[in-house]
Structure formats: C-alpha cells, structure tokens
Amino acid sequence: MFKKNNLELDPLARETFEKKLKVYTDFNPYFEKNFHSEIDTIEQVSFYHKKVKQTRALGDFLKDRKHSPGFKKKVIKDLLKFWEKEFREHIDFEQSKMLQKTSKVNRKKIKKIRFIFAYIAIIVSAIGMIITRKVKFLETIPFIGKYFTSHYQMIDNPLYHNLLISLVYLTIILILYKMILKTYFETLRNMGANAESYISKEFKKIKTNFQGQQKKLRTHLLKSRRKGFKKTYKINNIFDPNVMINKLENYSKNIETRYTKFRKKYFWLLFLHFLMILGIVGITGYIGYQFVTLYL
C-alpha cells in the first residue's frame, strides 16, 4: 500500500503524490458526465488537495467553516486549472488526430498536372494541320522549301495522312483529359484545405465555449463559499465538447474515406494520362522517322 508520512492513502491521494500534482480528481465534468451517473452536481465531485490533506466532496469542502474563504478560493483555482489542463490536452490530441487525416489531402501528396507537353503538342499539331493543306508558297522558301515538298509527298500516302490526323485528335483528347484531371485534383485539394480550416475553426469554438463555461463554474463555486448559498450546479448543464468532437470525427472520417477512394483511382488516372502522352510521342516519332528515312 502506498504511504505518505506513514499513513495509508486513498486512491485520489495516491494519484496526487504519484503524479506530483497539487490537486487531483478522477472526474472531469467536461468529458466524464456519461461515465459517472451517480454524480448529478458539481458539489458531489470528490477531489484531493495537498493542503487540504484529505479527500473531500467539493460541496462539503466549500461549506466547511474551518477553512477561510481565501483558502477555498485558492483550492477552487487549482481545481479549475487541473480541469483546464486535462481539457486542453484532450482537445489538442483530438484536433491533431483529425488534422492528420485531412492533411493527407494537400498539394505535396498529389502530382501536379502540367500542361507544358500539351502546349507543345498543340503547336506541333497546328503546324501539321497547316502544312497538310499544301500551301504552295512554303515550297519556295529557301533552304527549307525542299522539306515541305517532301512532307507533301509523304502526306499523299494514306497511312501517314491518317496518322497525322490521329495525332491531331489524340492531342485534343489529351488537352480535354488534362483539364478534367486538373479540375478533379484541384477539387480534392480544396476539399482538404477546407476540411483543415473547418476543423480548426470548430475546435476554436470548443475552446471559446470552454472558457465561458469555466467562468460560470468559477463564479458558482466562489458563491458556494457563502453560508446561505444553497444552489447546486447540475453536471448536465455543463458544456459538453463531446457532441462537437463526435461530429468532427465523423466529418474527418468522411474526408479520409474520400481520399482513400481517390488514391485507388489515382494510379489508373495517371496511367491513362501516360498512355495518351506515349501515343502522341510514338506517332510523332514514327512519322518523323519515316520522313527522315524515306523522303530526305
């Protein structure tokens, strides 16, 4: 049995000394009201304070005339600080846990869709469309005119003509696909950013509501020191952050689920994107190779 000054200590006193605290209670009115149905009012909460030197019910301690109002005020202050520390540690943990889920959805985790290759492909395709019309004056340009002549001869072949047309259409499809893909990615990024902002704001509201509740509780406990003050503070009237936390937990899980589904599609979306680029490069390379080997 844990002892202090050769006296056996009750569980609350033992926890106080083992954790090196000034005050300790195993009941936090902000989180544990649903786990202690026997406690209806704040006055029924038991606590241990080193200077009180014994476990007391809060209501009995406040009415005990052996202790001065000033001493009671210090004990109330220590008890409220203890609850506040537990509250903030719990809230910070929950907030950090939820933000870890939503922070996966950010710009660093998603490959940025770039349009540089698409722009180059558009230029190449546009030039191809122009020169396939066999603009005659291009053949008269010094030094490069012969290349246009060879190109026109090549395009007369149905195979190469169809390949060039396919290149143009594939490039247009790639541009449209990139636009859709970029919009999809940006929507996901915005969802992650909005989720982080929303969760942070909601936790800020929780902390603000807590501060207001602490002031009300402090005012009530200070009034309870008076001899004729008989009002009690119902536990059910105390602000319960679990309602908002559960709501945010479901929200963050939904974001995480959507992100997980996205990650499953992510590979195939980029793989299709890669295949289209590969097709454009392949057709362009083949046409270029045939042009160089057969017509130059």
Side-chain angles (χ1 to χ4, degrees):
M1 178 68 70
F2 190 95
K3 295 184 178 182
K4 184 71 176 178
N5 296 331
N6 296 323
L7 296 175
E8 293 185 356
L9 300 179
D10 61 69
L12 295 184
R14 186 185 306 115
E15 288 291 329
T16 304
F17 286 104
E18 287 181 349
K19 295 181 178 180
K20 298 180 180 180
L21 300 172
K22 185 184 295 185
V23 62
Y24 177 78
T25 175
D26 59 357
F27 179 83
N28 190 307
Y30 295 100
F31 296 110
E32 298 170 345
K33 61 178 68 177
N34 296 325
F35 303 102
H36 295 267
S37 58
E38 73 280 3
I39 299 179
D40 295 323
T41 67
I42 197 69
E43 286 76 14
Q44 293 176 310
V45 176
S46 297
F47 73 98
Y48 182 89
H49 194 287
K50 283 187 175 181
K51 291 187 177 180
V52 178
K53 297 181 180 180
Q54 66 179 122
T55 297
R56 299 289 303 273
L58 186 55
D60 294 339
F61 167 74
L62 294 175
K63 296 301 182 183
D64 192 343
R65 301 183 66 181
K66 294 180 181 179
H67 302 293
S68 67
F71 177 71
K72 293 176 183 177
K73 183 177 180 180
K74 290 180 180 179
V75 172
I76 291 171
K77 181 180 178 181
D78 291 338
L79 187 58
L80 290 175
K81 279 187 175 181
F82 175 78
W83 282 334
E84 181 174 2
K85 182 181 178 182
E86 280 195 335
F87 178 90
R88 292 192 178 280
E89 287 177 352
H90 181 74
I91 290 298
D92 290 342
F93 171 76
E94 291 292 337
Q95 183 176 4
S96 175
K97 182 176 65 174
M98 293 181 196
L99 289 178
Q100 282 180 356
K101 296 178 182 179
T102 57
S103 63
K104 295 177 182 178
V105 190
N106 55 50
R107 294 182 182 274
K108 294 182 180 179
K109 297 292 183 180
I110 302 173
K111 184 178 179 180
K112 191 173 182 180
I113 300 301
R114 301 184 183 276
F115 282 79
I116 296 177
F117 178 83
Y119 294 148
I120 295 174
I122 287 177
I123 294 173
V124 172
S125 301
I127 293 174
M129 292 176 69
I130 292 173
I131 61 180
T132 52
R133 294 183 178 182
K134 298 187 178 182
V135 182
K136 293 298 183 181
F137 78 88
L138 294 176
E139 297 180 88
T140 62
I141 299 176
F143 303 109
I144 63 173
K146 62 179 181 179
Y147 296 106
F148 286 105
T149 301
S150 300
H151 173 75
Y152 296 147
Q153 293 174 359
M154 182 179 185
I155 296 304
D156 287 336
N157 186 318
L159 172 63
Y160 301 119
H161 181 271
N162 292 334
L163 283 175
L164 186 58
I165 295 300
S166 299
L167 178 63
V168 173
Y169 283 128
L170 188 58
T171 302
I172 294 173
I173 293 173
L174 175 64
I175 298 301
L176 294 176
Y177 182 78
K178 277 180 173 287
M179 293 175 64
I180 295 173
L181 202 59
K182 185 175 185 296
T183 302
Y184 179 58
F185 285 177
E186 288 298 331
T187 300
L188 188 71
R189 293 189 188 109
N190 292 336
M191 180 184 69
N194 292 337
E196 290 185 15
S197 176
Y198 174 73
I199 289 174
S200 297
K201 287 180 180 179
E202 289 301 302
F203 271 100
K204 187 176 181 180
K205 289 181 182 179
I206 290 176
K207 293 175 182 178
T208 300
N209 291 337
F210 168 76
Q211 289 295 340
Q213 180 62 71
Q214 280 283 85
K215 290 180 181 179
K216 292 179 181 179
L217 201 54
R218 181 177 183 276
T219 299
H220 172 79
L221 293 176
L222 290 177
K223 288 182 179 180
S224 297
R225 297 176 300 169
R226 302 173 187 171
K227 183 178 180 181
F229 191 82
K230 297 182 179 180
K231 290 183 179 180
T232 58
Y233 204 105
K234 294 289 185 180
I235 294 295
N236 289 334
N237 293 335
I238 294 178
F239 165 66
D240 187 357
N242 288 317
V243 176
M244 297 180 69
I245 289 176
N246 291 336
K247 176 183 175 182
L248 291 172
E249 181 68 27
N250 292 332
Y251 175 76
S252 64
K253 285 182 179 179
N254 179 53
I255 296 296
E256 186 179 33
T257 300
R258 293 177 66 181
Y259 176 75
T260 302
K261 290 181 179 179
F262 162 77
R263 292 298 301 180
K264 292 179 180 179
K265 299 177 182 177
Y266 182 66
F267 171 80
W268 297 108
L269 290 172
L270 292 184
F271 183 68
L272 179 58
H273 175 258
F274 170 75
L275 288 180
M276 284 192 284
I277 293 178
L278 187 63
I280 292 175
V281 172
I283 294 174
T284 304
Y286 178 75
I287 293 175
Y289 174 77
Q290 294 297 325
F291 179 75
V292 172
T293 57
L294 299 178
Y295 295 93
L296 293 184

